[in-house]
Amino acid sequence: MLSLNEIMQLMQGGILQVLKLCAPVLGGALIIGLVVAIFQATTSIQESTLTFLPKLLAILVVLALLGGWMFTSMRQYTIELYQKIPSMAR
């Protein structure tokens, strides 16, 4: 049986893993969104598709550049979780 402290550590580790993997993708989309918003405000172009395509391309670039690291990080976390299963069953 797991104690409350062990459950909290598992939950905290999972949340930190999600934040670590999502932060680069969301950060890239945020920066591109701000740049496009400033461009739209200065040029008075209010086209909704102008914001979508650059964000999509930025997300794809970040995934292409950091996809290997993200996969390795997720694989390592999963291996650690599977290794903890026998101690959880006691």
Side-chain angles (χ1 to χ4, degrees), residues 10-60:
L10 286 173
M11 290 177 63
Q12 182 182 19
I15 290 170
L16 288 175
Q17 185 70 21
V18 167
L19 291 175
K20 184 170 71 169
L21 294 176
C22 291
V25 176
L26 295 176
L30 175 71
I31 291 170
I32 295 299
L34 287 173
V35 169
V36 170
I38 291 170
F39 174 75
Q40 283 184 325
T42 57
T43 60
S44 298
I45 298 173
Q46 296 302 320
E47 181 64 33
S48 62
T49 57
L50 184 62
T51 61
F52 178 73
L53 187 62
K55 285 182 192 178
L56 180 66
L57 292 175
I59 290 171
L60 291 176

